[in-house]
Structure formats: structure tokens, C-alpha cells
Amino acid sequence: MNEKQRLETSAQINPADKKSVKDYSQYFQSVYQPPSLQDAKKRGKEEIKIDRGFIIPEDMLNLGVGRKFYIRTYGCQMNEHDTEVMAGILTEMGYEPTDSVETADIVLLNTCAIRENAENKVFGEIGHLKTYKKRNPNLLIGICGCMSQEESVVNRILQKHQFVDMVFGTHNIHRLPQIVKEAMFSKEMVVEVWSKEGDVIENLPRVRKGEIKAWVNIMYGCDKFCTYCIVPYTRGKERSRLPQDIIEEVRHLARNGYQEVTLLGQNVNAYGKDFTDMKYGLGELMDELRKIDIPRIRFTTSHPRDFDDRLIDVLAKGGNLMEHIHLPVQSGSSEVLKLMARKYDRETYLELVRKMKERIPNASFTTDIIVGFPNETDEQFEETMSLYREVEFDTAYTFIYSPREGTPAAKMEDNIPMEVKKERLQRLNALVNELAVQKNLALQDQIVEVLVEGESKKNPEILAGYTSKNKLINFKGPKSAIGKIVKVKITQAKTWSLDGEMIEEAVEVN
Ligand code: SAH
Ligand code: SF4
Ligand code: F3S
């Protein structure tokens, strides 16, 4: 991104100006270009540059001394991890974290745009923040994350929530010091939303939420353009980090005692497709990462279309590569999948799962499903139900279709009545529960390896952790087991978790 583009896509707006709201909304539109489907579709194979030049300018290093920050995160792991980066930047600026809005000097809402109800929650929260701002006019309020990338959202904030101090997008996170400084010293609302993604920024600071499990970005953005989905617009085009940077980050985490990493991307199977000078994909990356001395490696999210044999072969090697595969299917009907532009059909999906089950016999599968996509008939919904049974998923995230402005599906008539959508969701969820219980019952009296994360939320006497297949296990054990992988015998299976007894302190990882 050059300086010209930067200026074209950012703006400082003074809501207190005498101009009418309509005026500065117009002014804003003249400087802000929302990501458009047309432009996005034209995404070329421009070379991605790696920017290692991130530094916090000296005049911003102490801005936060004696002050506290609070970040509320919505949405997916990508956002959770972005929050860790923003926490890292604010910490380097001298800020300290706080877990209450009351004591904060800066509050950031890291937002999600995936469905309408996700956005409504955020607008509700922005409304609440007004009272805090009235009590403490020095409080800085910032809206960032995926919603900030939407023109309609930014306009609504400009018009209805003028007490907000900063709006910045997912491509501007590394500009946080400059944005905070501007907001602190000017009375104007600072709006900095780049419609065009920049380069891959390396060496950003991070304050990770835990000391046991860590997220590692392997790529940013998404080029899949599923017709219902806002993510390719809010996150920009696919950009992969270089293998050596990822490997170094995982090694560093291993040296620091982390037990598990989850590699992150909206479509991790597209990793490396943007490299112009080498053929290197997720399979190659996993094959190198598995040699690092860290007990568990996961990745999310997979797209069935790009899941290649090379990756399956590498996963079949096992070891520290976990056998749990999250493989969103969205629908069991080939016609619906076509309308969704998922670029695979029911048979190809089932074939892929069959192949994986054959090559990785221990593999477990989870998925994402949307019900009530435009024109989805009862029969097509039944195909989703039958596919679910056929694959025998361990569990699923299920959603009612929500039209997102600017996506191709939003132009289709949202013609399934809400009662029908709800009824389908209920039936699907009943099936999800039924299979989840069955899968968990099969673990009764089995011995599983659990990475112990800490005390259970409900009862400090009980420890909680996850198996290699990401099942939640609660059991009695010594606090010394926290952060270790221990063997647990399952004593009782429930729908969403299992209870057990610890039988061995630590497990040797081979
Ligand atoms: N990149 C991931 C998913 C990202 S969003 C993937 O491709 O699988 C997480 C899930 O939200 C999606 O898998 C989908 O099931 C759901 N989702 C996305 N857009 C949606 C919409 N407009 N309405 C309802 N659910 C949606
Ligand atoms: Fe959205 Fe499809 Fe990209 Fe997933 S692969 S983020 S569902 S466009
Ligand atoms: Fe939501 Fe953005 Fe993630 S829209 S699901 S936070 S990529």
C-alpha cells in the first residue's frame, strides 16, 4: 500500500463540525472506498511483500504509561489472535490490561461481521459504552475488526455514535499507535479503514492469552468468495506468511513451554498458493512443523476444495499432528453447494472424508452448516441431515443463513420463512446432539490423553482439559498437572463434555 492509497482510504472526521451528518457522511465517502466485489474479484497475483519494519515510534512509546486498556473480542480465532497483537502493541506503549470497562482508559471492540446478530450485539455494546464515556470524557473508545471494514457500519457509527473516538479496520492493526495518538490529541473521530489489504507484517508484538496453547497465523484473507460470506471483503485477499517465519514462531513457542499450537487461516488449505517463486503448501509446512518438539499441532479452518493428498499423507504420519479435522461442509445438497459457490459437491465431500478415514483411521471430523440458504427445499435440507449421519461428525457449528450486504447471495431472495429456518436448525441440532452423545458414550471406560488447561470454570476442585480430538474432559487431579498432558480414564459421558479420573501424571510424547 503506498502513501496515496493510504490517504485515499483513511479519514479524520470531526462529528462536532457544523456540517450536517449527511455532509460528513458524503465527505467520508469521498475519501473512503469500501472493498467492492468487483474489485475483489479482480484480485491478481501481485507479489505479497513481507514488511519487517514494524516499530512503535519513540513519541508513542510512553503514551499509555499509567493507563489501562480493555479489549472485547467477538467472532473467530482470527479476531482472538488479532486482539493478542493489539494487546501486544498497547503493552509496548506502556498500557496495562484491565478486565473491566470501568477502570479502562481505552476500550476497543474487536468486532465480527459474519451474521446480522453478531453485528447487533456490537451495536448494543457501543450504546452501553456511551454511559462510560459520559462519566469519563477522557476514555478512548475504538471500534475495530471485521465490522469496521463495512461502509454501512462506518456510516452508522458516524451518524449515530459520534462519541466513538476511533474506527480502524483489519488491515490497519499495526497502525494502532498512530491511531491512538491521533485520537488522544485531537477532538476528531479518527477513521482509518484501508479498503485494500497491505503486505504481510512481521515482528508484531503479542500478548498471548495463555501459556499452554497458542495461535499462529499462517495466512491472512480469503479468496474463495462463497456467495453468502463477508470474510473475503473484510479480510482481503489471501496472503501467506513465509514458512521460515511460521517455523521460527512455533519453535519459539515450544522453547517457551507451550504445549499446543493452532495454525490459523480462513482457508488454511490455500496456504502457499500466493507464493510465486516456490511450490509449497500446507502439507509441506506441516511436514516441517511436526519435527518441532511441541506436543500438539492443530490447524483451522480447512476448505474441502483445497484439501490435497499431500496434506492427508502428512497428517497420516500422526505424532504431534492432531487427528481432529474441522471441515466445514455448509450443506449436504449439491444444488445448494453450487449456489453457495463452494466449488465441491456432496459426492466429492463424502469421497474426501472416506479417503481421510482410510488414511487416518483415528480421525474425527467436525463441521459448519448453514440452514435456510435461499431456495433451500425440504429435500435439500434432508440431504444435509443424511450427509451428517453418513460422515458421523463429532459435532458441528450450525447457523441460520443471514444475508450480508454486498455478497452475491444477498441479491438472491431470502425466501425461506424464519419459522422454517428455525425448525430446520432445531432438527439439525437434535441430530448433532444425538451423534455427540453417541460419540462420547463410545469413550466410556477408555483412557484418553488430556492437555490440562486449568481449573474447571464451575468447580475449582476439578481440572479441565482437551483430548487430541478436542473433547472437553473434567476430572479430579493435582494442580501440578496443569500445563501437562496426562492420562485420564473416562467415567461418564455427557453431551458436550466427559468426566474422568486421572490415572497417570505425565505422558511421554513421541
Ligand atoms: N473460513 C471458514 C469459515 C468462516 S465463517 C470456512 O470456510 O469454513 C464460519 C462459519 O460461519 C462458516 O463456515 C459458515 O458456516 C458460517 N457463515 C458464514 N457466513 C454466513 C452467513 N452469511 N450466514 C450464516 N452463516 C454464515
Ligand atoms: Fe467465507 Fe468461504 Fe472464505 Fe470460508 S472459504 S471465509 S466461508 S468465503
Ligand atoms: Fe467474524 Fe471476521 Fe472472523 S467476520 S468470523 S471475525 S474473520
Side-chain angles (χ1 to χ4, degrees):
M1 158 117 11
N2 60 35
E3 202 52 38
K4 185 167 170 282
Q5 281 166 324
R6 216 164 259 172
L7 291 172
E8 273 169 5
T9 55
S10 59
Q12 251 198 52
I13 287 150
N14 182 1
D17 255 359
K18 331 130 245 348
K19 290 179 181 173
S20 72
V21 163
K22 203 160 148 254
D23 273 353
Y24 52 77
S25 149
Q26 268 166 4
Y27 163 64
F28 175 68
Q29 275 167 26
S30 70
V31 289
Y32 166 71
Q33 284 294 311
S36 83
L37 174 61
Q38 258 184 343
D39 291 350
K41 282 268 186 194
K42 279 190 232 140
R43 278 174 197 173
K45 287 279 160 221
E46 308 98 336
E47 205 178 322
I48 309 290
K49 291 209 181 60
I50 308 292
D51 180 350
R52 297 181 192 280
F54 176 82
I55 49 155
I56 300 180
E58 225 164 277
D59 60 326
M60 300 172 198
L61 273 174
N62 293 319
L63 281 182
V65 173
R67 297 191 163 105
K68 294 199 166 83
F69 73 88
Y70 174 89
I71 309 179
R72 181 163 295 169
T73 314
Y74 302 81
C76 65
Q77 293 99 326
M78 214 76 58
N79 258 15
E80 297 270 359
H81 190 44
D82 284 350
T83 290
E84 295 183 336
V85 171
M86 292 192 287
I89 295 175
L90 291 171
T91 303
E92 289 207 349
M93 291 170 70
Y95 282 96
E96 281 174 41
T98 169
D99 48 19
S100 76
V101 179
E102 282 90 351
T103 54
D105 301 279
I106 177 165
V107 174
L108 300 178
L109 301 187
N110 191 6
T111 63
C112 171
I114 203 82
R115 283 169 291 274
E116 197 185 351
N117 55 8
E119 293 203 350
N120 290 343
K121 258 194 250 163
V122 170
F123 277 113
E125 194 50 40
I126 298 178
H128 283 145
L129 288 179
K130 194 171 183 177
T131 24
Y132 294 98
K133 181 82 183 181
K134 273 192 186 144
R135 259 185 255 154
N136 172 13
N138 289 327
L139 173 66
L140 287 183
I141 296 174
I143 312 298
C144 54
C146 287
M147 279 170 68
S148 321
Q149 293 292 142
E150 292 181 280
E151 187 191 11
S152 57
V153 168
V154 181
N155 280 337
R156 185 162 157 191
I157 294 173
L158 281 166
Q159 292 177 12
K160 300 216 176 108
H161 306 282
Q162 293 167 10
F163 58 92
V164 167
D165 302 279
M166 304 169 277
V167 180
F168 58 99
T170 56
H171 310 316
N172 312 59
I173 286 175
H174 61 288
R175 297 256 315 149
L176 188 56
Q178 287 81 359
I179 295 169
V180 168
K181 186 181 170 195
E182 265 175 39
M184 241 181 205
F185 294 110
S186 82
K187 292 259 171 304
E188 306 191 338
M189 187 192 296
V190 179
V191 180
E192 191 178 295
V193 182
W194 295 349
S195 55
K196 205 180 166 317
E197 62 287 315
D199 304 321
V200 168
I201 317 277
E202 287 298 343
N203 60 37
L204 290 166
R206 297 176 179 91
V207 173
R208 298 187 190 267
K209 219 164 103 189
E211 290 163 355
I212 302 170
K213 302 205 289 192
W215 286 304
V216 174
N217 278 127
I218 63 167
M219 60 183 301
Y220 304 96
C222 181
D223 282 349
K224 276 283 180 281
F225 291 102
C226 304
T227 53
Y228 50 81
C229 185
I230 193 85
V231 172
Y233 314 96
T234 63
R235 291 274 167 178
K237 74 169 186 233
E238 287 172 358
R239 287 104 69 210
S240 302
R241 289 179 71 197
L242 292 179
Q244 59 265 38
D245 289 322
I246 299 166
I247 292 166
E248 194 34 59
E249 189 175 338
V250 175
R251 282 207 185 112
H252 178 80
L253 290 164
R255 281 196 298 273
N256 283 286
Y258 280 86
Q259 302 291 301
E260 179 176 307
V261 294
T262 301
L263 310 178
L264 285 185
Q266 282 301 346
N267 167 14
V268 285
N269 307 78
Y271 174 74
K273 280 191 164 181
D274 52 319
F275 294 149
T276 46
D277 54 348
M278 59 176 167
K279 203 177 164 326
Y280 190 99
L282 185 61
E284 282 77 14
L285 180 66
M286 296 292 274
D287 209 18
E288 291 200 57
L289 292 176
R290 72 187 181 83
K291 294 169 198 149
I292 296 175
D293 188 15
I294 192 156
R296 291 181 168 189
I297 301 180
R298 304 180 187 279
F299 58 98
T300 200
T301 300
S302 287
H303 192 294
R305 161 97 180 175
D306 295 322
F307 214 113
D308 58 20
D309 288 349
R310 171 79 175 116
L311 178 60
I312 300 177
D313 288 343
V314 172
L315 292 179
K317 295 181 185 177
N320 56 0
L321 306 183
M322 295 295 98
E323 67 275 23
H324 165 224
I325 296 157
H326 185 63
L327 193 65
V329 66
Q330 313 300 358
S331 166
S333 150
S334 294
E335 288 90 12
V336 175
L337 288 169
K338 196 161 186 197
L339 284 180
M340 289 176 164
R342 289 289 288 181
K343 301 187 183 82
Y344 56 84
D345 59 15
R346 178 187 173 95
E347 258 324 299
T348 353
Y349 185 91
L350 287 172
E351 183 49 40
L352 177 64
V353 171
R354 271 195 289 273
K355 191 159 49 172
M356 282 200 252
K357 282 185 174 170
E358 207 179 282
R359 299 279 294 119
I360 318 164
N362 205 16
S364 72
F365 295 87
T366 54
T367 198
D368 292 352
I369 293 173
I370 297 175
V371 303
F373 190 76
N375 300 320
E376 184 189 62
T377 62
D378 282 337
E379 292 74 31
Q380 288 168 337
F381 172 67
E382 290 307 325
E383 288 187 82
T384 298
M385 297 286 279
S386 68
L387 179 132
Y388 196 89
R389 271 193 197 283
E390 193 166 334
V391 175
E392 295 182 3
F393 289 108
D394 273 41
T395 188
Y397 297 102
T398 56
F399 310 102
I400 286 181
Y401 167 69
S402 167
R404 308 311 295 132
E405 196 187 319
T407 62
K411 295 194 190 81
M412 304 175 194
E413 193 192 342
D414 183 16
N415 54 2
I416 314 294
M418 190 44 94
E419 317 84 83
V420 176
K421 286 178 175 167
K422 282 191 176 155
E423 197 256 344
R424 285 181 190 163
L425 187 72
Q426 260 172 22
R427 284 190 50 214
L428 178 60
N429 285 346
L431 176 61
V432 171
N433 291 359
E434 182 195 319
L435 260 67
V437 175
Q438 262 178 35
K439 291 265 165 172
N440 284 352
L441 280 174
L443 284 175
Q444 184 75 38
D445 300 327
Q446 302 274 316
I447 292 164
V448 291
E449 293 183 1
V450 178
L451 172 55
V452 189
E453 288 188 18
E455 294 164 0
S456 132
K457 279 189 199 123
K458 290 185 202 138
N459 180 352
E461 298 291 294
I462 302 284
L463 297 181
Y466 288 85
T467 67
S468 54
K469 293 185 175 156
N470 232 358
K471 288 193 181 288
L472 173 60
I473 313 287
N474 293 306
F475 64 100
K476 266 208 177 118
K479 303 268 182 279
S480 59
I482 294 174
K484 295 189 181 135
I485 296 178
V486 299
K487 288 197 174 178
V488 174
K489 186 171 181 188
I490 301 301
T491 52
Q492 199 191 353
K494 301 174 175 171
T495 315
W496 303 121
S497 66
L498 300 109
D499 293 343
E501 283 166 2
M502 188 169 131
I503 58 166
E504 202 179 304
E505 176 86 12
V507 170
E508 274 304 306
V509 181
N510 43 32

